[in-house]
Amino acid sequence: MFFIGRNWSPLVEFLADKGVKLLRREQDWYDIAQVCINGHTSNDTYIAHPIYNKDFCDKCGEKTITACPKCKENIRGDHHSPGVVAIGFGYTPPNYCHKCGNPFPWTSEKLDAAKELAELLDELSDVEKEQLKMSLDELVKDGPRTVVATTRFKGIMSKTGPEMAIGFKDILIDLVSETVKKSIWG
Ligand SMILES: [Zn+2]
Ligand SMILES: [Zn+2]
């Protein structure tokens, strides 16, 4: 029989109060992530290790958030499992809110920046610029059209200098999947 010791209760209540969804027997749960609006992770263990919390980003000075601006659902942080300790290791903020599906501010910001960069490519026709911008959305979504978008992106990039592909890499690197990264930038 599963039993929560008496000294667990305050923690469980505290977490529930903070809106943390407790999964499987109260021992396996998602922490909240604190992320700046440019997508720098301030703390992916907002509840468990509040000592690392920051109101403003120490990388870019922007405000940090812990919830989706659209639906107020907490941003999922570190996944706590019994016996597993992994603090701030390899955490990348999600692109889209798991509750309402809207892009997080950093996703919109980076996509907008990449689209602005696309506009600056004089080597491309207006049609190619539009195709490139549409491909950027699909690259980030990691859906069935991502492969098509990857191929189109590479095709269009072959008409510009390699430094442009690097420019897009710098902007999009945290938004795209490993598969896309490998396919485009090697
Ligand atoms: Zn930042
Ligand atoms: Zn949301």
Side-chain angles (χ1 to χ4, degrees), residues 116-134:
E116 276 177 41
L117 184 58
E119 277 297 328
L120 296 176
L121 302 178
D122 293 332
E123 308 91 316
L124 304 181
S125 69
D126 286 348
V127 174
E128 285 170 329
K129 283 180 189 173
E130 279 315 305
Q131 284 180 337
L132 177 55
K133 287 196 269 184
M134 274 162 53

Side-chain angles (χ1 to χ4, degrees), residues 36 38-40 57 59-62:
C36 92
N38 281 330
H40 300 124
C57 179
K59 293 199 178 73
C60 73
E62 287 290 354

Side-chain angles (χ1 to χ4, degrees), residues 5-51:
R6 194 180 285 162
N7 49 4
W8 270 98
S9 309
L11 175 64
V12 170
E13 275 167 31
F14 172 74
L15 293 173
D17 189 47
K18 291 282 179 189
V20 173
K21 298 277 182 295
L22 296 173
L23 307 171
R24 280 202 285 139
R25 308 285 195 192
E26 276 75 39
Q27 289 199 6
D28 197 2
W29 55 284
Y30 278 105
D31 210 308
I32 297 174
Q34 187 180 46
V35 184
C36 92
I37 59 172
N38 281 330
H40 300 124
T41 304
S42 282
N43 186 4
D44 67 342
T45 53
Y46 184 79
I47 299 294
H49 301 102
I51 191 173

Side-chain angles (χ1 to χ4, degrees), residues 35-109:
V35 184
C36 92
I37 59 172
N38 281 330
H40 300 124
T41 304
S42 282
N43 186 4
D44 67 342
T45 53
Y46 184 79
I47 299 294
H49 301 102
I51 191 173
Y52 300 120
N53 293 346
K54 303 175 189 81
D55 291 339
F56 291 89
C57 179
D58 59 3
K59 293 199 178 73
C60 73
E62 287 290 354
K63 195 163 80 72
T64 58
I65 58 172
T66 55
C68 169
K70 291 268 160 59
C71 74
K72 310 299 176 210
E73 175 77 2
N74 291 324
I75 301 167
R76 268 188 187 165
D78 189 36
H79 183 205
H80 293 279
S81 304
V84 178
V85 181
I87 301 162
F89 179 74
Y91 177 82
T92 307
N95 293 348
Y96 299 91
C97 173
H98 69 268
K99 188 81 176 179
C100 72
N102 280 295
F104 281 113
W106 47 89
T107 310
S108 316
E109 276 293 312

Side-chain angles (χ1 to χ4, degrees), residues 161-180:
E163 69 280 1
M164 279 305 152
I166 302 291
F168 283 105
K169 183 182 179 184
D170 287 347
I171 297 171
L172 297 173
I173 192 79
D174 287 337
L175 295 186
V176 300
S177 70
E178 287 301 322
T179 315
V180 171

